[in-house]
C-alpha cells in the first residue's frame, strides 16, 4: 500500500485494518500474508523464566501436526486468528469520517515494532514449517488481532484469558463432525444403515447420562468398529463400510434386547442396569 504521494514508506508496515473497542481498549483486526509471519512474529526466548514470558513454552511436537494438517488439506483447512500485542507507536488512518468509515482504514506500524504473540504461537510456527514444504502457502492470509502492548503483566493476563475457557469438543461430537477421517466415515455409514443404531446412538456425549434413552455412544461404536476394520489405512473404504454394516447387522440380529429397547418394550436405562451387552 502507498501513502498519499504514492510512495511506499520503507520504515513502516501498512496494514488494512478494522478498529474496535473491547474493555475500553482499542484493538485492530487485519489480514497478514502467511509469508510475512516469520518476519513479523518472532518467537519468545524460551530460556527466559516463565514469569518473564508472555506464553507457555512452544511444544515442538504440536508444530508438525498442525503443519501437516495444513499441508494435507490445502483446499479446506481452517486456522483461527493470531493475537499479538504491538510494542510501538502506531497510526490508524480511517478511510472516512462517517461512523462506519471511522472503523476501517490503514494501520501504519513501524518496521522496528515488536510483535508479541499472546495466542497462536503454535499456528505461527506451523505456518513457518509448512512454508518450507509448500511456498505457495505464502500467498494465503491469516487473520490477525493486534492490541496495543501495555506491558508484560497485561500480556500474560491476556494469554491466560484467551485460553482459560477453551474446551475441546466431546469425543462423540468430534467424530460426528469429522468428514476427513475414513474411520469416522465408516462408523457414520453404519449408523445410517443399522436400525438400532439410528435410534439408540448418542452422537454428542462420550459417556451416557444416567437417565439417557440411548444405549450406546458414537465414541463407543467408533472404537469397536475401528477394531473390526483395523486395516483402514490400506483397505478400500467401500469394502470397510460393507464389512462393518454386515458385522453389526449380524450382531444386532443376535441381540434382540437392542430391538426391544428400540421398540420401547423396555427402557434403555433398565437395559444398561441389567445387561453387559449395552456397555462398551
Amino acid at each position: 500500500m502507498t501513502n498519499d504521494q504514492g510512495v511506499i514508506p520503507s520504515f513502516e508496515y501498512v496494514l488494512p485494518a478494522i478498529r474496535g473497542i473491547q474493555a475500553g481498549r482499542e484493538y485492530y483486526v487485519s489480514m497478514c500474508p502467511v509469508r510475512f509471519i516469520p518476519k513479523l512474529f518472532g518467537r519468545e526466548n524460551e530460556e527466559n523464566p516463565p514469569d518473564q514470558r508472555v506464553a507457555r513454552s512452544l511444544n515442538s511436537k504440536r508444530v508438525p501436526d498442525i503443519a501437516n494438517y495444513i499441508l494435507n488439506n490445502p483446499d479446506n483447512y481452517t486456522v483461527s486468528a493470531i493475537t499479538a500485542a504491538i510494542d510501538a507507536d502506531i497510526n490508524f488512518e480511517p478511510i472516512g469520517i462517517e461512523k462506519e468509515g471511522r472503523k476501517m482504514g490503514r494501520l501504519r506500524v513501524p518496521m522496528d515494532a515488536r510483535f508479541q504473540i499472546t495466542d497462536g504461537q503454535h499456528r505461527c510456527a506451523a505456518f513457518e514449517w509448512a512454508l518450507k514444504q509448500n511456498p505457495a502457502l505464502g500467498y494465503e492470509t491469516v487473520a490477525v488481532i493486534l492490541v496495543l502492548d501495555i506491558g508484560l503483566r497485561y500480556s500474560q493476563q491476556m494469554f491466560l484469558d484467551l485460553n482459560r475457557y477453551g474446551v475441546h469438543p466431546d469425543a462423540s461430537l468430534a467424530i460426528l463432525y469429522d468428514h476427513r477421517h475414513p474411520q469416522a466415515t465408516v462408523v457414520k455409514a453404519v449408523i445410517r444403515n443399522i436400525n438400532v443404531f439410528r435410534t439408540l446412538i448418542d452422537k454428542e456425549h462420550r459417556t451416557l447420562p444416567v437417565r439417557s434413552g440411548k444405549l450406546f455412544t458414537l465414541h463407543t461404536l467408533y472404537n469397536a468398529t475401528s477394531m473390526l476394520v483395523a486395516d483402514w489405512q490400506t483397505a478400500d473404504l467401500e469394502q470397510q463400510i460393507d464389512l462393518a454394516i454386515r458385522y453389526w447387522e449380524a450382531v444386532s440380529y443376535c441381540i434382540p434386547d437392542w430391538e426391544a429397547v428400540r421398540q420401547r418394550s423396555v427402557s434403555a436405562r433398565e437395559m444398561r442396569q441389567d445387561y453387559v451387552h449395552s456397555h462398551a
Side-chain angles (χ1 to χ4, degrees), residues 112-124:
D112 59 357
R114 183 167 176 261
F115 292 82
Q116 192 81 47
I117 300 174
T118 54
D119 185 59
Q121 60 173 340
H122 290 90
R123 275 161 272 159
C124 286

Side-chain angles (χ1 to χ4, degrees), residues 56-223:
R56 64 169 73 96
S57 298
L58 190 73
N59 184 342
S60 58
K61 294 181 180 179
R62 288 183 59 195
V63 173
D65 289 340
I66 301 172
N68 285 325
Y69 158 73
I70 296 170
L71 291 168
N72 294 335
N73 301 282
D75 297 326
N76 60 357
Y77 73 89
T78 303
V79 176
S80 57
I82 296 166
T83 303
I86 307 176
D87 183 12
D89 291 328
I90 63 173
N91 182 30
F92 179 74
E93 299 176 346
I95 61 174
I97 59 175
E98 300 298 328
K99 183 176 180 180
E100 296 303 320
R102 294 198 303 269
K103 296 178 181 178
M104 296 180 288
R106 297 181 297 184
L107 187 66
R108 295 185 177 275
V109 182
M111 284 193 172
D112 59 357
R114 183 167 176 261
F115 292 82
Q116 192 81 47
I117 300 174
T118 54
D119 185 59
Q121 60 173 340
H122 290 90
R123 275 161 272 159
C124 286
F127 269 124
E128 184 175 355
W129 195 90
L131 275 170
K132 298 175 182 178
Q133 312 298 318
N134 181 12
L137 282 170
Y139 296 94
E140 299 193 359
T141 57
V142 61
V144 178
I145 300 173
L146 302 172
V147 298
L148 298 181
D149 186 21
I150 57 173
L152 177 64
R153 181 177 178 181
Y154 172 68
S155 295
Q156 290 175 336
Q157 187 65 56
M158 183 190 299
F159 167 80
L160 178 62
D161 291 346
L162 287 170
N163 291 276
R164 186 190 298 272
Y165 300 110
V167 178
H168 289 292
D170 191 283
S172 288
L173 199 62
I175 297 166
L176 181 66
Y177 290 170
D178 189 346
H179 301 285
R180 290 196 180 97
H181 204 289
Q183 284 174 288
T185 301
V186 170
V187 75
K188 284 182 283 190
V190 168
I191 293 173
R192 289 193 300 270
N193 286 276
I194 306 299
N195 287 335
V196 292
F197 291 158
R198 277 203 301 269
T199 306
L200 300 179
I201 290 285
D202 185 321
K203 301 175 182 177
E204 191 169 0
H205 302 102
R206 186 187 184 97
T207 57
L208 290 174
V210 175
R211 299 182 182 276
S212 174
K214 307 295 185 181
L215 270 186
F216 321 98
T217 67
L218 176 55
H219 181 252
T220 295
L221 182 62
Y222 174 87
N223 287 339

